[in-house]
Amino acid sequence: PILDKEPPSDSTMVYGSHNFHEVTMTYPMRAARNNRYKLIHNLNYNLPFPIDQDFYVSWTFQDILNRTISKTALPWYKSLKNYYYRPEFELFDLKTDSYERINLAYRKDFMKIRTELQEQLWKWQVATNDPWRCAPNGVLEDKGDFEGNPSCLTLAHDEM
């Protein structure tokens, strides 16, 4: 039914998961979307977004790449650097920004929405037993002492 018309309320959630395009190109992402907002969690946001071979040789990518190298204006709203290096969170208002160009995730006036979607996403990750649910700041332990009580153990990123 969601393909025919919009659901009646903001309570409808859709979730998404992406791990890699090709076996050597890991870039795990998780997403939660309601009628109006979409939150993307880039789990390996410190790494560059991988470019696969078929995309790399496309005329479009080659044009963007060559314009970037020659410092010529791009006919695109992002630089390659912004495309490769994404923030940990991306939040889009699909009603006012259907092309997902303006990231609202770090704006104070959208923190409540981001937090609500993060909580929904976390619940979904727990319910689906997502092995990436502790990333990027922790590691999931669910064996040995943690069997039956899975826990996210810190990687101490904030302490470094």
Side-chain angles (χ1 to χ4, degrees):
I2 196 169
L3 297 177
D4 295 326
K5 65 179 182 171
E6 284 291 323
S9 73
D10 280 347
S11 63
T12 302
M13 293 294 297
V14 176
Y15 301 97
S17 172
H18 177 272
N19 289 325
F20 52 87
H21 179 75
E22 294 175 359
V23 72
T24 61
M25 298 175 56
T26 186
Y27 195 85
M29 304 162 82
R30 300 297 184 261
R33 180 196 188 277
N34 62 23
N35 287 9
R36 178 139 187 197
Y37 297 99
K38 177 179 176 182
L39 177 74
I40 300 170
H41 189 188
N42 296 302
L43 299 171
N44 270 351
Y45 68 96
N46 284 319
L47 296 177
F49 188 82
I51 303 297
D52 62 347
Q53 293 169 340
D54 58 338
F55 182 60
Y56 184 86
V57 298
S58 71
W59 290 3
T60 302
F61 184 80
Q62 286 299 307
D63 181 53
I64 292 169
L65 183 63
N66 289 327
R67 286 176 188 239
T68 299
I69 291 168
S70 66
K71 299 185 182 349
T72 305
L74 290 173
W76 195 29
Y77 68 97
K78 277 188 175 191
S79 69
L80 276 184
K81 184 176 183 180
N82 288 339
Y83 182 76
Y84 296 145
Y85 295 96
R86 299 169 182 208
E88 182 176 2
F89 291 99
E90 297 175 84
L91 175 67
F92 302 103
D93 182 339
L94 302 173
K95 184 175 181 181
T96 62
D97 180 24
S98 61
Y99 292 113
E100 301 179 13
R101 293 181 175 183
I102 302 166
N103 183 6
L104 306 170
Y106 298 94
R107 285 189 29 187
K108 250 184 176 173
D109 48 337
F110 286 90
M111 286 310 236
K112 181 180 179 200
I113 293 163
R114 177 180 143 182
T115 300
E116 289 171 4
L117 286 173
Q118 275 182 257
E119 288 171 2
Q120 292 291 328
L121 183 58
W122 171 255
K123 289 176 186 175
W124 175 75
Q125 288 181 278
V126 170
T128 60
N129 209 17
D130 184 356
W132 286 91
R133 67 182 175 261
C134 299
N137 299 314
V139 63
L140 176 65
E141 284 294 338
D142 59 359
K143 307 278 189 276
D145 292 342
F146 298 96
E147 192 167 347
N149 185 27
S151 298
C152 292
L153 303 181
T154 185
L155 293 173
H157 288 145
D158 296 337
E159 307 301 321
M160 298 169 81

